[in-house]
Amino acid sequence: MRPTPTAIALVTWDIPGRSMNVLDETTILELEEIVKATAADAGVKGVVVTSARRRSPPGADLSMLEGMNRRYAELLKAKGEVAANQMLFDETRKILAGVSRH
């Protein structure tokens, strides 16, 4: 992340070793930290996330989705439908928040 003269932080998204940038758990956690840091900085009025790749439509890492599915099944069995649905809701919110917040 780097600030610009216009108080807009520029974030360049580039996942090393991948053919394209994908939403995975690491990216979501990093985006959450960026949101926290920029929201706490009075000098930042906005954030632009750009890709270092020429063609890089965002996609979700299938292993992340498989992991969410496994956690859902485990919670469903251990704690019931309400807890499993809440986990799924919370995880989905993280993904969407990482993409669209601030």
Side-chain angles (χ1 to χ4, degrees):
M1 180 177 71
R2 61 184 167 95
T4 66
T6 59
I8 303 297
L10 179 62
V11 176
T12 302
W13 185 12
D14 187 16
I15 300 177
R18 299 292 300 251
S19 61
M20 72 167 72
N21 291 327
V22 295
L23 284 173
D24 59 11
E25 291 182 64
T26 301
T27 301
I28 291 167
L29 292 172
E30 288 175 356
L31 287 172
E32 283 181 311
E33 290 304 312
I34 290 167
V35 168
K36 288 177 190 173
T38 56
D41 187 338
V44 175
K45 302 300 179 201
V47 179
V48 173
V49 178
T50 186
S51 176
R53 312 293 171 95
R54 181 175 284 172
R55 284 193 274 156
S56 183
D61 183 346
L62 294 179
S63 63
M64 179 185 70
L65 298 177
E66 289 171 350
M68 285 174 61
N69 188 45
R70 273 193 305 278
R71 287 193 303 276
Y72 180 87
E74 290 167 359
L75 269 174
L76 183 62
K77 187 176 181 179
K79 295 187 178 183
E81 188 175 8
V82 172
N85 287 342
Q86 185 64 52
M87 180 281 302
L88 191 58
F89 175 77
D90 292 343
E91 292 300 311
T92 303
R93 270 186 52 204
K94 286 181 193 177
I95 293 169
L96 295 175
V99 172
S100 65
R101 273 173 72 182
H102 301 283

